[in-house]
Amino acid sequence: MAHAWKCSGLRWSADGPVLVWDGGRRSALTWGKRVAFEVAEGGARVCVGARGHACPVGAAVPGRSTGARCEECARLDRAHSVAADTIADDPRPYHVYLAWFGPGMVKVGITAEERGSARLLEQGAVCFSWLGVGPLMAARRTEELLRAALRVPDRIPYAEKRAVRAALPEAAADRAREVADLHERAVALPAWPESLVREPLRVVDHVGVFGLADVPVAIGGVNELVPGGAVGGELVAAAGPDLHLATGGGVVVLDTRLMTGWGLVPATSDELTVPVRQFKEAAGVQDGLF
């Protein structure tokens, strides 16, 4: 029987997307690379635990869960989290940013300055600009100010990001327009915390990084993995946690968060035999798993 691998998720490096496996091994993903694996027969999806610790009960988790954690481990994972607003004493400086995912879809957020643009790549931001930098609580207050004054959300579901990804303007200037407009309105607000330093508009575009230019529109997305199910295709683009795979039936999006918690083995074919949801807007011990 082939050795089963456990995926820890997709990470973004300076060279592009990388799949990380339990134990530290990494698989670099490049355009045109064949991505193919099967879920071990008879296996079950098991909670991935919290904060580097295994789930104490090895709880089963649903195939459609993108967190791959049981209720208790999910609670523990968020108990010390900037995103969950449970940390107030982090001494690191934080960036406030505006991220654009497609027409009419902009969000505000914060990320540690030392992380650079990694958070924006992980979220699948098509383009973004920094707004300011300063202490965590000042950054958090600015985020709240923009949400209230400009009605800009701080969270956007991945399903909505995927839907607008198929309708991106071709010109970078058009993709930057909404960010530029909101940046101008944001820095003009009078109630910014004094400790947060405003930053000039510099729109960074990720269409090239994600490989989204001239890529066929995805026809659907993988709903979940199932025991014995297979995924196979040629990588044509990636954004956030999503891999865009060219299959015999068209481009299908795989959210790599669905891979965690499963035992995965090498594929014996390029078939796609897992449940796929059609998009409404669609047109017609081995050295490595990949």
Side-chain angles (χ1 to χ4, degrees):
M1 177 180 291
H3 171 71
W5 291 68
K6 290 288 187 74
C7 183
S8 300
L10 186 70
R11 304 287 183 272
W12 282 87
S13 71
D15 298 321
V18 177
L19 276 176
V20 182
W21 307 94
D22 286 6
R25 189 178 295 275
R26 292 170 172 248
S27 298
L29 298 174
T30 54
W31 312 142
K33 186 181 183 72
R34 175 179 175 265
V35 175
F37 61 87
E38 294 178 3
V39 181
E41 283 278 6
R45 195 181 190 199
V46 178
C47 173
V48 297
R51 310 198 67 78
H53 301 285
C55 177
V57 297
V61 291
R64 297 188 182 188
S65 166
T66 53
R69 289 186 173 90
C70 66
E71 185 176 340
E72 180 62 17
C73 286
R75 184 187 66 79
L76 291 173
D77 191 62
R78 292 181 65 82
H80 191 72
S81 165
V82 170
D85 206 13
T86 57
I87 298 178
D89 57 354
D90 189 336
R92 298 175 297 172
Y94 274 76
H95 264 130
V96 183
Y97 62 80
L98 286 170
W100 184 87
F101 300 91
M105 194 169 291
V106 185
K107 64 157 281 188
V108 61
I110 67 173
T111 185
E113 183 183 32
E114 65 187 32
R115 295 205 67 207
S117 62
R119 180 65 179 145
L120 286 305
L121 292 166
E122 291 166 358
Q123 293 183 69
V126 176
C127 63
F128 79 94
S129 177
W130 304 126
L131 274 170
V133 63
L136 171 59
M137 295 313 294
R140 183 66 81 193
R141 286 196 298 273
T142 304
E143 182 184 39
E144 293 297 323
L145 170 66
L146 267 60
R147 286 178 58 195
L150 302 181
R151 302 180 67 83
V152 182
D154 64 345
R155 287 179 177 83
I156 297 175
Y158 277 100
E160 296 181 18
K161 298 176 187 178
R162 295 184 191 107
V164 296
R165 203 178 291 157
L168 299 177
E170 291 187 8
D174 292 333
R175 295 193 293 269
R177 186 167 292 117
E178 288 182 74
V179 170
D181 176 63
L182 278 170
H183 186 284
E184 181 180 5
R185 294 166 58 195
V187 297
L189 292 172
W192 278 52
E194 292 183 3
S195 56
L196 196 88
V197 179
R198 290 173 173 81
E199 296 207 16
L201 174 70
R202 294 192 185 95
V203 179
V204 177
D205 193 293
H206 286 154
V207 162
V209 176
F210 290 157
L212 293 173
D214 302 319
V215 170
V217 174
I219 62 166
V222 173
N223 246 3
E224 61 179 318
L225 302 186
V226 293
V231 173
E234 176 187 327
L235 183 66
V236 293
D242 295 342
L243 301 182
H244 291 232
L245 304 176
T247 71
V251 174
V252 172
V253 177
L254 169 65
D255 185 337
T256 53
R257 297 175 299 172
L258 298 175
M259 297 170 63
T260 56
W262 289 105
L264 306 176
V265 298
T268 56
S269 70
D270 278 334
E271 289 185 300
L272 185 66
T273 60
V274 295
V276 173
R277 181 187 69 260
Q278 297 296 313
F279 292 156
K280 292 180 180 179
E281 67 275 10
V285 177
Q286 146 185 342
D287 185 55
L289 185 57
F290 305 140

